[in-house]
């Protein structure tokens, strides 16, 4: 059967918090089948634990934030979540000593590397996928996102629409069949991007104090400011794809379907996931004997270890 996964051994990272600019530590621990993705804020007394679900995604202005019913927050979870989706990790304990995860380099690559080094462990329970059974669509003015059935796994098609000299019109659309390998090779290194005018505004309002050229692509009115340039010619749309991957994995289940979106972002992605889950006729939870029956193809645990 296609099995649930966790990591083989505990790993830790230290990095900068995007919002606070302070040093943040996060520890990742193996978890047993059926646990889900569970966060613990170790800086609070008593410690507060919350599970990652579509329903506790709240403030989505700068990043994806989990908020429990008492208002306890954990921010900047989406790039980690995208990496978990790509590695097929269903069960993980995350201990963080701040209200946010470290932003790392603004992409999912450091998390992929970290978990590949820890190793992937398969558990003795079938992995449950969320299969789209009928079309679900959400809109916000000209922006839209939709999920339709697809019997071969997860297909993703995303278009952005920026009018900027450094953002080539021909490079604002990206579509591919999602797998551990295709995500890792084509999307995982795409960094968050922002505009210089937004950086000035955010810093004036004490937001994104940890944001820098180390963890974001910054554009002025004409060009990319980062001296190293872009990691992919179409890094901008690929980062939106990375974000959507994380946002759609907030339920803890990989979606099987065709995702199509225009100018989408965290808020609309979450609205789409909630719309899908709002009516049991929209989806079914399904398991597989073999990946070849139509499940998403993940990197094998042995290969993940070598990555
Ligand atoms: Zn992002």
């Amino acid at each position: 059967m296609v099995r649930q996964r966790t990591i083989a051994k505990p790993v830790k990272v230290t990095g900068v918090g995007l919002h606070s600019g302070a040093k943040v530590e996060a520890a990742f621990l193996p978890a047993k089948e059926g646990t889900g993705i569970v966060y613990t804020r170790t800086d609070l007394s008593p410690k507060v634990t919350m599970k990652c679900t579509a329903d506790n995604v709240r403030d989505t202005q700068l990043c994806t934030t989990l908020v429990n019913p008492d208002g306890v927050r954990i921010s900047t979870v989406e790039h980690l979540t995208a990496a978990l989706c790509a590695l097929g990790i269903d069960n993980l304990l995350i201990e963080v000593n701040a209200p946010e995860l470290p932003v790392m380099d603004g992409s999912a690559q450091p998390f992929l590397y970290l978990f590949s080094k820890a190793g992937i462990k398969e558990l003795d329970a079938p992995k449950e996928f969320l299969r789209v059974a009928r079309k679900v669509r959400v809109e916000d003015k000209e922006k839209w996102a939709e999920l339709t059935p697809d019997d071969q796994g997860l297909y993703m098609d995303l278009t952005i629409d920026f009018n900027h000299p450094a953002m080539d019109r021909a490079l604002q659309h990206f579509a591919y069949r999602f797998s551990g390998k295709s995500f890792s090779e084509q999307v995982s290194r795409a960094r968050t991007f922002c505009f210089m005018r937004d950086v000035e505004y955010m810093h004036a309002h004490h937001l994104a104090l940890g944001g820098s050229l180390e963890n974001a692509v910054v554009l002025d009115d004409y060009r990319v400011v980062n001296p190293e340039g872009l990691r992919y010619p179409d890094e901008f749309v690929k980062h939106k794809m990375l974000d959507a991957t994380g946002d759609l994995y907030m339920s803890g289940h990989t979606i099987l379907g065709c995702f199509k979106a225009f100018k989408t972002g965290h808020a609309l992605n979450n609205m789409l996931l909630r719309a899908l889950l709002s009516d049991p006729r929209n989806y079914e939870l399904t398991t597989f004997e073999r990946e070849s029956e139509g499940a998403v193809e993940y990197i094998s645990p042995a290969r993940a270890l070598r990555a």
Side-chain angles (χ1 to χ4, degrees), residues 2 41 43 93 151 284 293:
V2 178
R41 282 272 306 272
D43 56 320
L93 304 178
D151 56 13
E284 58 178 6
E293 291 170 0

Side-chain angles (χ1 to χ4, degrees), residues 62-64 76 78-79 106-107 190-193 239-240 242-244 247 266:
L62 201 58
C63 63
T64 299
T76 326
E78 66 271 28
H79 304 156
S107 81
R191 292 161 295 175
T192 307
F193 59 94
H239 187 77
K240 293 292 183 186
L242 191 164
D243 280 343
D247 290 338
H266 296 309

